[in-house]
Amino acid sequence: MCGIVGYVGEKQAQDVVIAGLRRLEYRGYDSAGVALVAGGVIASDKRAGKLANLEKAIADHPLPGSTIGIGHTRWATHGAPTDANAHPHSGGVRRVAVVHNGIIENFAELRGELEAADHVLLSETDTEVAAQLLELLVLSGLDLTAAMLQLVARLEGAFTLVAVDAHDRSRVVAARRNSPLVVGIGEGENFLGSDVSAFIEHTREAMELGQDQVVTITRDGVEVLNFDGTPAEGRRYHVDWDLSAAEKDGHDWFMRKEIHEQPRAVADSLLGRRTPEGHLHLDEMRLSDQELRDVDKVIIIACGTSFYAGMVAKYAIEHWTRVPVEVELASEFRYRDPILDYSTLVVAISQSGETADTLQAIRHARTQRSKVLAICNTNGSTIPRESDAVIYTHAGPEIGVASTKGFLTQLVACYLLALYLAQVKGTRYGDEIDQVMQQLEAIPEQVQRVLDDAAQVYDMAADHVGTRSVLFLGRHAGYPVALEGALKLKELAYIHAEGFAAGELKHGPIALIEEGLPVLCVVPPAGRDQLRDKMVSGIQEVRARGARTICLVEDGDDAITPYADVIIRLPKVPVLLQPLVAVVPLQLFACELATLMGHDVDQPRNLAKSVTVE
Ligand code: AGP
C-alpha cells in the first residue's frame, strides 16, 4: 500500500505533490519521490527513507518550476527501500515517469522480455518494468492515454499506475485495477490521489473510479475510459470528512480501518504466489528445494500476536508436511538452550521486522547453523535482512498498535509456507495444494462477509461496557484464535481477558466461571465432528455454571443454539483456515468495546507498535 499523488493545474506542482505525499505518508514511508514535466524533460528526485529525506534533497538541489507532476511514498513490495527502488521510475530515455501502488504479478516474464531486447533496468521493482513498457509505447507514437490502454492489457495483478510524458505538459494519466485511486476535481486544475487526503486541502469534489479504468486529467477536465477503450463515467461525490478522518478513510481509528482492509490485504498477500503452470512460487525464498527437503524440524519464534500466528502455522505445517513444529516465544527461545541443527528451519514471524526479542532469537539460531526464514510485513527491516529467506506479507503499513491485518496476512504467509514445504517434500499432491490455494483465494470474500455483519458484534460490545473479565475458548486451530482474542481485549480495553484450550477448562480454570461471566467460544467447523462435539460439551459445562456464552459458529451449525446466549455466524471454511474468519469478530469486539470505554484504540496505554527493546 503506497501513497500516490498526481497534479495538473496552475499551482507549483512540486508544492502540491509534496504536501499531498505528506498527507499520505501513513500509507507507506520507506522511500519517496517526485517527477515534474519541465522544459520537455522529466525533472525528478527520489530518496530512500521518510519524505523529509526527499524534501532535504530537493532543498539542496531544487527542481525546476512546473505545474504538472506526480509523486509517491512507498511501502516496498518488490525490492528493498533504496534510492534506486524508490518511485518514480522511467524508461531508458526518461521520456515518461511512472509511480505505482500494487503488485504486477507477471513482472518477471515482462522483465525477461525487456532484458532479452537489451533494455537495461536499474531497479528490482515491478514498477520499472511497467515504466519501460509504457515508454516504448509512447516512443512508438501513441499519446500517453493510448499508451496506458495498451500497457494495462499486458499486466496481471493489482495495480494503480500514474504517469506523465515529458513531451506533454497537458495531462496526467492513470490506470487502476484492484488498487485505490480517486480523482480530485478543481477549477482549472485536477488531482489524483490514493485517497482524498492527498488533495482535500484544495478541493472536496471527488470522483470515484471503477475497476479496470484509465483516467486522464487535464486542466480542463477528466476523461475516464474502460480498459477496452470504451468511455466510462466516474461517480462524483462531495467529501465531507476532515483531513484526519480522510487519512482513516472515514473510520474513527486506523485500527478499525485496518480491520476493514483485511479482505484486500489477504488478497494482496496471495498475489503472485503461483507460476503460470500453477506451482507455488515464493519469490524471496532463497532457500533451495534441497535445503528445504533436508528440513526435519521447524521452530517458529515470535512475540504477541505474531506468536499466535505461529501457533496456527504449527497445525498447518504438521498436517500438510508431517514435519514436527515447535512454537516458541522469542523472549524464551535462546534461554532454554534449544536443540538446533543445520536441518532445523527457524521461522521468525514479525510484522514490524524490528522486534528485539525476535531479532536476538534469530541471531542465536544462526550461530547454531540453522537456516532462518522470516515472515514479515516491513520490506527491508532488520529481521528479514538478517534471515536466509523471507516471505513478505502485503498488508501495507499497519498504523494501529494492535495488530489486525498484520496477523491475518501472517496466517496467509504461514499457510503458503506450509504448502510450499509440502510441494517441495512431495507430501501433498499438486491438486491438493491447488485446492487449498483456491480455498485461500475465497477467503477475502468470506472475511468481507464477517465485516458486513459487524453491527451485531458492535451491539454485543455495547452490552459489555463495564465488564471486568472475559474468557475465550477454542480448540485446535481455534485455540490460538482464543488467545489472540484475549490479547486484543487486554491491550485495548485494559480488562482481564484470558484464552484457554477448551479441553483444559475442567483441569482448573472452570473455577473462574461465575454468573454472567462472558465466555467467547470459537466453535470448530462441523467438518471436524469430534472436535466440535467436544466444544459443545465445554460450552454446556460453562453455561451450566452461569457463564454468558457468546459462540462463533459456522453457518448452518445449529447444534450450539440451545447453549448460546449470543451466536455470531462465520462463513463455512476448512478447519485449518477457520482462524482467518474467526478472529475478525474478536478484533471488532475489542475495537468497539475500547472505543465505548473512551480509550485511545490506535495508541493504547503502555504499548508501542514495535518493541525494539528486550
Ligand atoms: C499485537 O496486537 C501487539 N501489538 C504485539 O503483541 C505484537 O504482535 C508483538 O509485539 C510482535 O510484534 P511484531 O509482529 O512486529 O514482531
Side-chain angles (χ1 to χ4, degrees), residues 255-281:
M255 181 192 177
R256 202 182 309 263
K257 170 175 171 277
E258 288 152 8
I259 290 172
H260 284 81
E261 284 178 337
Q262 291 181 123
R264 171 85 271 128
V266 168
D268 286 352
S269 298
L270 286 167
L271 280 178
R273 304 293 193 183
R274 290 215 261 182
T275 66
E277 298 71 36
H279 294 140
L280 272 183
H281 164 70

Side-chain angles (χ1 to χ4, degrees), residues 218-427:
T218 65
R219 292 171 183 81
D220 307 321
V222 177
E223 177 200 38
V224 182
L225 298 173
N226 295 311
F227 277 9
D228 63 9
T230 55
E233 281 296 319
R235 183 182 72 81
R236 292 281 296 258
Y237 65 98
H238 177 76
V239 181
D240 52 13
W241 296 332
D242 63 20
L243 181 64
S244 167
E247 287 177 344
K248 304 181 185 89
D249 272 359
H251 292 287
D252 51 356
W253 304 111
F254 275 112
M255 181 192 177
R256 202 182 309 263
K257 170 175 171 277
E258 288 152 8
I259 290 172
H260 284 81
E261 284 178 337
Q262 291 181 123
R264 171 85 271 128
V266 168
D268 286 352
S269 298
L270 286 167
L271 280 178
R273 304 293 193 183
R274 290 215 261 182
T275 66
E277 298 71 36
H279 294 140
L280 272 183
H281 164 70
L282 300 178
D283 54 6
E284 307 211 35
M285 173 46 77
R286 298 198 300 264
L287 291 174
S288 70
D289 284 359
Q290 192 53 52
E291 285 172 313
L292 293 174
R293 271 192 286 274
D294 290 342
V295 167
D296 59 10
K297 180 166 79 168
V298 173
I299 299 181
I300 298 172
I301 51 175
C303 304
T305 289
S306 302
F307 174 76
Y308 302 141
M311 288 179 69
V312 174
K314 172 183 171 71
Y315 293 102
I317 295 171
E318 289 186 341
H319 183 69
W320 289 329
T321 70
R322 311 312 297 154
V323 171
V325 178
E326 296 171 17
V327 190
E328 186 77 56
L329 287 170
S331 52
E332 290 291 320
F333 174 70
R334 61 196 173 111
Y335 301 109
R336 72 166 175 90
D337 196 11
I339 301 165
L340 296 164
D341 201 338
Y342 75 91
S343 59
T344 306
L345 176 66
V346 172
V347 178
I349 304 177
S350 177
Q351 189 285 133
S352 64
E354 300 298 345
T355 299
D357 288 325
T358 309
L359 179 58
Q360 293 308 326
I362 66 167
R363 286 174 177 166
H364 175 78
R366 301 199 67 173
T367 65
Q368 308 296 307
R369 302 180 298 162
S370 293
K371 296 293 184 198
V372 176
L373 181 146
I375 290 177
C376 187
N377 190 46
T378 309
N379 201 302
S381 55
T382 307
I383 288 171
R385 243 195 354 260
E386 296 198 13
S387 298
D388 297 292
V390 57
I391 300 176
Y392 279 114
T393 53
H394 296 302
E398 188 174 65
I399 310 299
V401 165
S403 186
T404 51
K405 63 178 184 174
F407 176 69
L408 231 59
T409 52
Q410 284 169 351
L411 292 180
V412 169
C414 290
Y415 293 130
L416 288 170
L417 172 61
L419 292 170
Y420 191 79
L421 284 172
Q423 174 177 285
V424 166
K425 286 176 169 284
T427 52

Side-chain angles (χ1 to χ4, degrees), residues 31-350:
S31 60
V34 63
L36 309 171
V37 175
V41 299
I42 299 287
S44 67
D45 202 336
K46 57 183 185 174
R47 299 295 159 140
K50 290 203 175 272
L51 182 59
N53 288 5
L54 174 66
E55 291 181 282
K56 183 177 180 317
I58 292 174
D60 295 346
H61 305 285
L63 295 172
S66 169
T67 57
I68 174 171
I70 59 177
H72 185 270
T73 181
R74 186 173 182 235
W75 183 262
T77 54
H78 290 82
T82 61
D83 290 359
N85 288 336
H87 302 203
H89 288 279
S90 289
V93 299
R94 288 178 59 79
R95 170 70 185 270
V96 303
V98 176
V99 295
H100 166 227
N101 177 19
I103 298 166
I104 297 172
E105 283 191 80
N106 60 331
F107 91 97
E109 55 193 275
L110 296 172
R111 183 184 183 109
E113 285 176 28
L114 287 165
E115 289 174 332
D118 295 331
H119 293 287
V120 176
L121 283 88
L122 307 175
S123 78
E124 308 160 86
T125 65
D126 50 352
T127 311
E128 186 185 4
V129 170
Q132 293 267 4
L133 293 171
L134 185 67
E135 183 164 280
L136 291 172
L137 290 164
V138 167
L139 293 173
S140 73
L142 295 175
D143 68 33
L144 195 56
T145 303
M148 185 66 84
L149 281 169
Q150 291 216 12
L151 171 65
V152 295
R154 303 201 60 200
L155 304 184
E156 295 167 17
F159 50 83
T160 295
L161 294 165
V162 179
V164 286
D165 172 0
H167 295 180
D168 181 352
R169 54 184 303 283
S170 72
R171 72 178 74 189
V172 179
V173 177
R176 71 167 295 269
R177 167 181 285 165
N178 269 336
S179 180
L181 184 70
V182 61
V183 182
I185 312 284
E187 295 293 324
E189 61 182 6
N190 286 302
F191 307 77
L192 293 170
S194 302
D195 61 48
V196 297
S197 53
F199 51 74
I200 198 169
E201 63 187 289
H202 302 287
T203 178
R204 289 178 176 273
E205 297 312 307
M207 176 191 287
E208 186 180 273
L209 296 171
Q211 184 71 304
D212 287 4
Q213 291 189 332
V214 168
V215 60
T216 300
I217 62 168
T218 65
R219 292 171 183 81
D220 307 321
V222 177
E223 177 200 38
V224 182
L225 298 173
N226 295 311
F227 277 9
D228 63 9
T230 55
E233 281 296 319
R235 183 182 72 81
R236 292 281 296 258
Y237 65 98
H238 177 76
V239 181
D240 52 13
W241 296 332
D242 63 20
L243 181 64
S244 167
E247 287 177 344
K248 304 181 185 89
D249 272 359
H251 292 287
D252 51 356
W253 304 111
F254 275 112
M255 181 192 177
R256 202 182 309 263
K257 170 175 171 277
E258 288 152 8
I259 290 172
H260 284 81
E261 284 178 337
Q262 291 181 123
R264 171 85 271 128
V266 168
D268 286 352
S269 298
L270 286 167
L271 280 178
R273 304 293 193 183
R274 290 215 261 182
T275 66
E277 298 71 36
H279 294 140
L280 272 183
H281 164 70
L282 300 178
D283 54 6
E284 307 211 35
M285 173 46 77
R286 298 198 300 264
L287 291 174
S288 70
D289 284 359
Q290 192 53 52
E291 285 172 313
L292 293 174
R293 271 192 286 274
D294 290 342
V295 167
D296 59 10
K297 180 166 79 168
V298 173
I299 299 181
I300 298 172
I301 51 175
C303 304
T305 289
S306 302
F307 174 76
Y308 302 141
M311 288 179 69
V312 174
K314 172 183 171 71
Y315 293 102
I317 295 171
E318 289 186 341
H319 183 69
W320 289 329
T321 70
R322 311 312 297 154
V323 171
V325 178
E326 296 171 17
V327 190
E328 186 77 56
L329 287 170
S331 52
E332 290 291 320
F333 174 70
R334 61 196 173 111
Y335 301 109
R336 72 166 175 90
D337 196 11
I339 301 165
L340 296 164
D341 201 338
Y342 75 91
S343 59
T344 306
L345 176 66
V346 172
V347 178
I349 304 177
S350 177

Side-chain angles (χ1 to χ4, degrees), residues 18-40:
I18 294 290
L21 292 180
R22 196 173 299 114
R23 308 287 187 218
L24 294 175
E25 201 169 14
Y26 72 88
R27 297 176 66 89
Y29 34 74
D30 59 40
S31 60
V34 63
L36 309 171
V37 175

